[in-house]
Amino acid sequence: MTSTVTAGEEGTAVPAPRPDGALDGAIDGAIDGAAGLAGHLTELEILSRFGADGLEGRVELAAAAAADLGRPELELRARLVGGDLLRRRGDVAAAGRIAQAVHRWATDHGVRSLVARSSFVLAAVFQELGDLSEALEHAVRSVDLLDDDCAPAIRIDHLARLADCLGLDGDDAAQERYDHVLRLAEELGDVDRQLVILNNRAYCATVTGRFDLALTYSARLRTLSEAHGVPVPVGRLDTVARALMGLGRLEQAEAVLLPGLDPERLDASGDGDAGADFLLTLAEVRRRLGRRADAQAVLDECVRRCEAHGLTAIRVRARREQAELHAAGRDYRAAYEEQVRYCEELQDLQSAQRDARARAVHAMYETTEARKQSRRWRELSLRDPLTGLYNRRYVDEQLARVLRGPESVAVALLDLDHFKQVNDTCSHEVGDEVLRTVAGLLQDGGLPVSAGPDSFAARLGGEEFMLVLVGVDAWTADRHLESVRATVAAHPWAPLTGRLPVTVSIGATSTAALADATAAELLARADGYLYRAKRSGRDRVVSDLVGPLS
C-alpha cells in the first residue's frame, strides 16, 4: 500500500447522511442563533473523517449561513472541513492553503478550538507530503489545544492522528496512544473508528517492519468487521496480507486477498486506485509461491487498471514486479530490460513527486510563509552579520525616510579609539568580540526611553557605529550620548583586551541645528564633529546639540 494510513480512513459503514433537503432546513433554522449551526458543523467534522458523499454541498451551505450570521469563526470551521475533503480527493496543496489560512486567523484571534482543528488538518497534509516532523508537531498541537467539552468522536480523531504520526515515525509511544484511543472508540461504540484505528496501527507496524504486531491488529480488524457485518475494503485486506508476507506466510496472505478479487469490490476501492495496488500485492504473493502464470495474469490486470486510471506510481512498481517475474522464469534479458525501464521511470517519478511536493508546499505557504520568509530575508539583508545591528544599507533607506517626518532627528557617529591597536595586540578575533560587545551596549542602552520607534543603532563598517534618535529633544540627546560614552569606557574590558582600554569618540548633530538638511549633510556635519573629538583627545562627545560650535 502506498498510503494506507490515509486511505484507511475511508469507512464503509459511515453514519447515515441526512436527506439533501434536511440540512438546508436545519441551517435555515440556525440563522436565529449560532449554537445550532455550531452543532451542524460538529456533525460535518465527524462525517468528514470518512469522506461521506454529498458533504461538499452541505459545507458550502454551512459556510454561507455562518457568513450571514456574521460569525467568521464558524465560517472558517466550515471552510476547514471543505479543505479536508479536498485533501481526501487528492488536492493536498489546496487543503494546505485553506488550513494555513484558517490556522493563521485562529492564532491571531485566539480561537483555541479552531487552532486545534486547523492543526489536525495540517498534520494530515504534512503526513501526505512526507514531512513527518512537521506532521507530528501539528498533531501534538491539535491534541493539546482541543477543548475539554469537544465531541468524543472529534477527540478520538485527534488522538488517532497523533498515534498515526508517532507510528509512522517508529516511536514506541505510538502503542500507548493507540491503546488509549482504541479504548475510547470502543467505549463510544464507534465501530467505524475502531476499524480505522486498527487498520492504521497495522499499517504503521508493517512500515517499521514489526510484522507480528501488524498481524495482531490485522486479525482484530477482520474479527471486528465480521462481527458487525462490515465488508473489509481491499485496502485493509492488503494491510493484512502485507503483514503475513512479512512473516513468510504466503499461502495465508493469498487466502486473505482472494475475497477482494471481485471486480465490483476492486472498482469500489476506497484508496482511489481501482484496486490496482491490491492486485500488485497479490501478484507478488503468487510469484513468491512459484505460480508465475497466475501472478502474470493478476499483474496484467493491475497494469491495465493503472493505464486506465493514470496510476503512474503503481505502474512503476508494477515494472519492478514484472522484472522479478521474468527473472523467476529465467528470461534474464527481459528481466534486465524491464529493470532498466523501471529505474528510468522511477527516477522520473521521484523527480515529479519532488516537484509536486515543492509546488504543494509553495502553494500552501504562498500567502503566509512566503511573505514571512521574504520579510525575514530582507531583514537579514539589512543587518550587519557580525554585530546584528542595522547596516549601511538600512541607514541609507531609513535616515532619508525619517528626515521627511515632522519630528526632530539627531544623528551621532561613534568610532572606537585606537581600535587598530586592539586588533594588532590582541588578535582580530578579540577585535570582533569587542565590536560585538559595543553593539550589545548600544542595543541595551543606546536609545533613550523617550526616543521614537523610528530610532535605531547601526554599524557603518569597521569600528564605526551610528545612533539615530528621532523625537528626542537636544538636551536629552546630548546627555544620552555622554551616557553611552561613559558606559563604553566603564565596561570591564580587561578579560578581553588586558590592559588596553576601549573608549569611543562621538560626533553628533541634529535637524534642530541644521534645518532642512539632507541625510548626506547631517552625516558630513556629524563626521566633522567626530574628527574634532578625535583631535581633542578622544573618549569624548563633540556636538552642536546644545549650542553651536565655533
Side-chain angles (χ1 to χ4, degrees):
M1 296 296 291
T2 55
S3 59
T4 309
V5 167
T6 300
E9 295 174 359
E10 304 288 350
T12 55
V14 298
R18 295 172 182 264
D20 287 341
L23 188 66
D24 297 333
I27 290 179
D28 288 341
I31 292 179
D32 291 333
L37 180 56
H40 285 297
L41 286 170
T42 298
E43 180 183 350
L44 292 176
E45 289 164 345
I46 292 171
L47 287 170
S48 68
R49 175 71 159 153
F50 300 96
D53 292 336
L55 283 186
E56 288 87 348
R58 299 177 181 183
V59 166
E60 287 302 319
L61 285 172
D68 289 342
L69 286 170
R71 295 294 297 270
E73 75 282 6
L74 296 180
E75 182 180 358
L76 289 174
R77 273 183 69 184
R79 298 298 178 197
L80 192 60
V81 174
D84 202 24
L85 292 173
L86 286 173
R87 175 190 66 81
R88 303 181 65 81
R89 305 290 190 266
D91 196 345
V92 178
R97 276 199 303 271
I98 292 170
Q100 286 281 14
V102 174
H103 191 271
R104 182 176 68 251
W105 186 93
T107 300
D108 291 344
H109 291 80
V111 184
R112 178 188 176 99
S113 59
L114 198 51
V115 174
R117 286 301 294 172
S118 57
S119 293
F120 173 75
V121 176
L122 285 169
V125 167
F126 281 108
Q127 182 180 304
E128 294 195 26
L129 291 174
D131 190 340
L132 286 181
S133 175
E134 192 77 18
L136 181 58
E137 182 178 334
H138 281 290
V140 169
R141 187 178 297 119
S142 79
V143 171
D144 287 346
L145 297 179
L146 202 59
D147 288 341
D148 292 337
D149 60 351
C150 72
I154 297 292
R155 181 171 301 280
I156 289 169
D157 291 344
H158 283 233
L159 291 169
R161 183 150 294 165
L162 175 56
D164 290 341
C165 290
L166 291 169
L168 289 172
D169 204 32
D171 193 324
D172 288 339
Q175 302 313 314
E176 183 178 347
R177 294 279 183 176
Y178 275 129
D179 286 339
H180 175 59
V181 73
L182 191 56
R183 282 196 303 271
L184 293 178
E186 289 168 348
E187 291 168 3
L188 189 62
D190 192 326
V191 175
D192 296 305
R193 282 178 167 77
Q194 291 175 57
L195 291 172
V196 167
I197 294 162
L198 289 168
N199 179 76
N200 292 359
R201 188 171 194 177
Y203 176 76
C204 290
T206 62
V207 168
T208 55
R210 303 170 74 172
F211 299 109
D212 284 319
L213 189 62
L215 190 57
T216 297
Y217 293 105
S218 295
R220 289 182 60 180
L221 185 154
R222 295 181 68 193
T223 300
L224 184 63
S225 295
E226 292 169 3
H228 291 272
V230 179
V232 180
V234 295
R236 293 180 185 174
L237 294 177
D238 197 324
T239 301
V240 178
R242 284 286 168 185
L244 290 165
M245 286 175 62
L247 295 171
R249 295 160 63 173
L250 299 175
E251 292 86 356
Q252 288 176 273
E254 184 185 27
V256 164
L257 293 170
L258 287 176
L261 281 176
D262 176 69
E264 290 187 7
R265 200 165 177 182
L266 284 172
D267 292 338
S269 170
D271 298 336
D273 62 4
D277 208 11
F278 167 89
L279 291 169
L280 185 56
T281 299
L282 180 57
E284 181 181 349
V285 169
R286 288 181 168 175
R287 171 181 57 79
R288 291 172 63 180
L289 284 169
R291 293 161 48 198
R292 289 187 292 109
D294 290 341
Q296 187 65 63
V298 172
L299 185 60
D300 289 344
E301 176 60 16
C302 169
V303 170
R304 187 192 69 77
R305 288 172 178 259
C306 285
E307 292 176 349
H309 296 279
L311 305 171
T312 305
I314 301 176
R315 179 67 183 95
V316 171
R317 290 166 50 222
R319 287 206 180 278
R320 182 178 60 181
E321 182 57 31
Q322 185 64 71
E324 294 282 1
L325 271 172
H326 285 317
R330 299 179 184 274
D331 188 348
Y332 298 116
R333 175 178 292 277
Y336 171 76
E337 292 172 351
E338 194 69 32
Q339 183 69 18
V340 168
R341 284 191 287 270
Y342 163 71
C343 291
E344 290 173 348
E345 291 183 13
L346 177 63
Q347 186 173 8
D348 291 342
L349 175 64
Q350 289 173 336
S351 177
Q353 287 174 333
R354 283 193 297 269
D355 290 345
R357 288 192 183 100
R359 287 194 300 272
V361 172
H362 175 74
M364 286 172 58
Y365 285 105
E366 62 186 0
T367 59
T368 55
E369 195 67 15
R371 283 203 298 265
K372 187 195 305 181
Q373 289 297 323
S374 176
R375 289 194 298 270
R376 175 176 175 268
W377 288 114
R378 172 168 170 74
E379 177 72 8
L380 288 175
S381 75
L382 299 175
R383 293 281 183 178
D384 169 49
L386 177 65
T387 64
L389 294 180
Y390 287 114
N391 58 20
R392 184 60 185 255
R393 179 181 172 187
Y394 182 86
V395 170
D396 291 342
E397 292 182 7
Q398 190 73 357
L399 183 55
R401 187 184 71 80
V402 298
L403 286 175
R404 291 194 294 270
E407 297 181 289
S408 62
V409 180
V411 175
L413 297 179
L414 302 81
D415 193 88
L416 297 185
D417 300 322
H418 302 299
F419 185 68
K420 184 176 184 301
Q421 191 174 5
V422 172
N423 278 334
D424 293 345
T425 304
C426 302
S427 79
H428 285 277
E429 289 75 13
V430 169
D432 286 348
E433 188 58 36
V434 168
L435 292 172
R436 282 191 288 266
T437 302
V438 170
L441 295 175
L442 293 180
Q443 285 176 318
D444 293 340
L447 303 176
V449 175
S450 59
D454 289 330
S455 303
F456 63 89
R459 181 188 177 209
L460 299 181
E463 63 269 31
E464 191 171 18
F465 296 85
M466 180 181 190
L467 288 175
V468 173
L469 309 179
V470 181
V472 179
D473 66 81
W475 186 87
T476 300
D478 184 70
R479 290 299 87 202
H480 183 71
L481 293 175
E482 177 58 33
S483 174
V484 169
R485 181 207 64 77
T487 297
V488 173
H491 185 79
W493 295 105
L496 262 181
T497 62
R499 295 182 178 181
L500 289 177
V502 176
T503 58
V504 63
S505 297
I506 302 175
T509 189
S510 72
T511 52
L514 196 63
D516 299 323
T518 65
E521 290 169 341
L522 281 173
L523 288 171
R525 187 153 176 159
D527 191 55
Y529 292 148
L530 175 61
Y531 178 75
R532 290 197 195 187
K534 292 284 189 181
R535 291 294 300 270
S536 58
R538 295 182 170 81
D539 188 21
R540 64 194 61 211
V541 178
V542 175
S543 76
D544 57 14
L545 295 174
V546 292
L549 293 180
S550 59

